[in-house]
Amino acid sequence: MDLLIKNVLPITGDGKTPVDIAVSDGVIRSVGKAPEGFRPDETLEGGGRLCMPALINAHTHMYMSVLRNAADDLPFMTWLFEGVMPRENKMDLDQAYWGSLLSCAEMIRRGCSTFNDMHLFPGAAAKAAMKIGMRAVVNRAVTGPEGGERRIKEMLGEIEEFKGCKNVSFMIAPHAIYTCSTEYLLKLADIAEELSLPVHIHLSESVAEMNDCLRDHGCTPVEYLVKIGFFKNPTLAAHCVQLTETDILLLAEHGVSVVSNPKSNLKLGNGFAPLYQLDKAGVNVCLGTDSAASNNSLNMFSELNYAALIHKGTNGDPTVIPARKAFEMATVNGAKALCIDNLGKLEEGWKADIVLLDTDVPQMMPIRDPFASVVYACDGSETDTVIIDGKVVYKHKEFTTIDTEELYYHIKQITEVI
Ligand code: NI
């Protein structure tokens, strides 16, 4: 399938000079002029919109969008164990599918092409992504030893079921150090090694987790995982809010990627990851939304904005995490953390996950620096068209692959019982 996107302003340009982008079989073939003899199956008139690589949500919990606004303004452990878990334990696969599809729709409307879903129902998230045309990394968050063997069996069954599905990949995800024993964590690291899959874990998210770890293991959560030999696979650690200087060096030394979820961390009163220090130490840092149960939205533009601003404020230095750096965190760094090659740049040979943003709105005028426009001025409502894997899944603010009326009908039904 050949697609020609005409007359767009690339984010890497000067904000004034339009280009055409040629796409063949999901890959960008040229940015500038279409190659000689290029005969597109579809031509999309860009209308002078700003064009950027799609955003990557490197940590979320897809089905939990049906729990939006169900447990707010609560302490973290109360939110988790009393607000969220009793509700999600009642959910079935069909409800999780609609919840996941709702998340997909929300993310696409805000310029995101790829998500990393962790927790229950990875199969529902994968099916929703395939239906709408998103790129999905899914992982079952497992806990143990109690019930742990059953969960591993279910996890392996899901990996088998979706093996070979286009644009769906897996990670192995022990939920957290406070829900998994040492032996169980190591067993999962072994499984990941055997299957050559990366690992995803919640880590150092709250003061409670840090204090419990110091009490139980005499060291920080990061030191504990280093000590037991957990970091032997490519690993993505979610949150990393509570870190010591030694933790930061250890994460860099072991090549662990960190996904920060600024809005969720702030809302749960947990603080925020020291992104500037992590990046300076050489850690691959990316961004996620966490779930709509704690965020309460899945808007990566918002995360981008928070990530760029918070660290200037807390470091007392406006030069830290400049717009381009924040944008890398929301795109190419996310792809690296999820082990997806050639994703997150608007360049020849890279995957064609492309977003067109309206420029005929006040906050996009004038565009002196496209990166600054996207990071500091956009709120995501500018998203006009989204192309994923070379296919137009959202065109002039309309979905091309799903019926939103049907989706909203199911969400309203589910909300009655969950
Ligand atoms: Ni999370």
Side-chain angles (χ1 to χ4, degrees):
M1 225 294 272
D2 289 345
L3 169 71
L4 182 64
I5 309 166
K6 284 182 75 74
N7 185 25
V8 287
L9 303 170
I11 189 168
T12 43
D14 60 6
K16 287 184 285 204
T17 314
V19 297
D20 294 346
I21 299 176
V23 171
S24 288
D25 299 325
V27 176
I28 298 170
R29 236 175 108 179
S30 64
V31 178
K33 261 190 163 176
E36 199 85 6
F38 186 71
R39 288 244 174 97
D41 301 293
E42 187 179 349
T43 300
L44 187 70
E45 175 50 52
R49 291 183 178 88
L50 191 67
C51 177
M52 64 173 213
L55 303 174
I56 296 174
N57 186 349
H59 180 79
T60 187
H61 310 283
M62 296 290 283
Y63 64 89
M64 284 166 76
S65 284
V66 293
L67 306 182
R68 195 193 316 265
N69 311 334
D72 295 297
D73 310 324
L74 295 170
F76 177 62
M77 292 296 178
T78 316
W79 167 82
L80 181 62
F81 289 105
E82 293 174 32
V84 170
M85 283 185 172
R87 286 188 173 88
E88 66 185 7
N89 287 338
K90 286 199 292 186
M91 285 179 72
D92 64 26
L93 200 59
D94 188 56
Q95 292 165 333
Y97 167 78
W98 290 109
S100 299
L101 194 62
L102 182 69
S103 295
C104 288
E106 185 179 358
M107 283 191 264
I108 288 174
R109 282 188 81 236
R110 292 296 177 259
C112 176
S113 72
T114 305
F115 64 80
N116 181 24
D117 168 67
M118 185 220 249
H119 216 15
L120 311 172
F121 309 114
K127 276 185 190 155
M130 288 191 283
K131 168 71 187 163
I132 205 164
M134 270 188 107
R135 222 177 270 284
V137 181
V138 295
N139 19 139
R140 173 170 285 264
V142 289
T143 58
E146 206 190 309
E149 286 308 312
R150 172 181 56 79
R151 292 191 189 97
I152 287 177
K153 223 175 128 193
E154 285 168 356
M155 173 188 85
L156 294 174
E158 283 153 357
I159 293 173
E160 197 54 38
E161 185 183 346
F162 292 94
K163 203 163 69 182
C165 288
K166 194 158 190 256
N167 298 330
V168 175
S169 59
F170 277 86
M171 290 175 102
I172 300 294
H175 172 261
I177 62 161
Y178 55 88
T179 46
C180 298
S181 68
T182 306
E183 295 69 32
Y184 197 66
L185 286 168
L186 290 176
K187 182 167 190 171
L188 288 158
D190 286 345
I191 292 173
E193 194 174 28
E194 261 167 52
L195 300 177
S196 297
L197 289 175
V199 170
H200 182 200
I201 185 169
H202 288 114
L203 185 62
S204 289
E205 183 173 4
S206 67
V207 174
E209 179 183 341
M210 174 65 104
N211 288 342
D212 290 353
C213 190
L214 287 169
R215 183 195 63 210
D216 297 340
H217 305 291
C219 59
T220 69
V222 173
E223 287 169 346
Y224 163 64
L225 289 182
V226 169
K227 209 159 74 177
I228 67 171
F230 179 77
F231 292 133
K232 60 179 179 174
N233 304 287
T235 300
L236 173 61
H239 304 302
C240 293
V241 169
Q242 301 294 326
L243 295 179
T244 63
E245 280 178 28
T246 308
D247 288 342
I248 292 173
L249 296 176
L250 286 171
L251 290 170
E253 190 186 314
H254 291 268
V256 177
S257 291
V258 167
V259 51
S260 177
N261 306 272
K263 270 185 76 185
S264 171
N265 295 149
L266 284 172
K267 183 155 174 288
L268 288 167
N270 286 332
F272 32 83
L275 294 194
Y276 173 59
Q277 286 74 9
L278 284 162
D279 177 65
K280 213 165 63 171
V283 175
N284 179 52
V285 174
C286 53
L287 300 178
T289 57
D290 216 358
S291 79
S294 64
N295 188 306
N296 299 356
S297 69
L298 305 177
N299 182 352
M300 282 295 293
F301 279 90
S302 190
E303 303 302 327
L304 195 48
N305 188 251
Y306 274 67
L309 295 184
I310 290 167
H311 303 284
K312 297 186 201 311
T314 52
N315 287 282
D317 181 353
T319 67
V320 309
I321 314 199
R324 276 167 195 260
K325 172 68 77 179
F327 192 77
E328 277 171 19
M329 290 179 181
T331 51
V332 68
N333 290 14
K336 188 178 170 197
L338 304 182
C339 300
I340 304 175
D341 292 334
N342 297 332
L343 179 66
K345 284 191 184 180
L346 202 61
E347 285 178 17
E348 186 187 331
W350 286 61
K351 290 187 169 68
D353 288 15
I354 297 168
V355 173
L356 307 189
L357 300 172
D358 284 335
T359 46
D360 291 341
V361 287
Q363 69 270 29
M364 295 295 272
M365 282 189 195
I367 301 178
R368 288 199 172 89
D369 172 350
F371 283 101
S373 290
V374 166
V375 173
Y376 300 124
C378 279
D379 58 22
S381 62
E382 304 82 1
T383 305
D384 174 81
T385 295
V386 179
I387 295 143
I388 304 177
D389 199 26
K391 292 178 200 74
V392 184
V393 298
Y394 188 67
K395 189 174 185 179
H396 305 320
K397 300 190 191 288
E398 296 283 344
F399 288 98
T400 63
T401 48
I402 61 157
D403 174 354
T404 47
E405 261 180 48
E406 183 192 22
L407 169 62
Y408 302 153
Y409 167 81
H410 282 280
I411 297 301
K412 283 174 189 158
Q413 299 293 310
I414 295 165
T415 312
E416 294 295 314
V417 290
I418 295 291

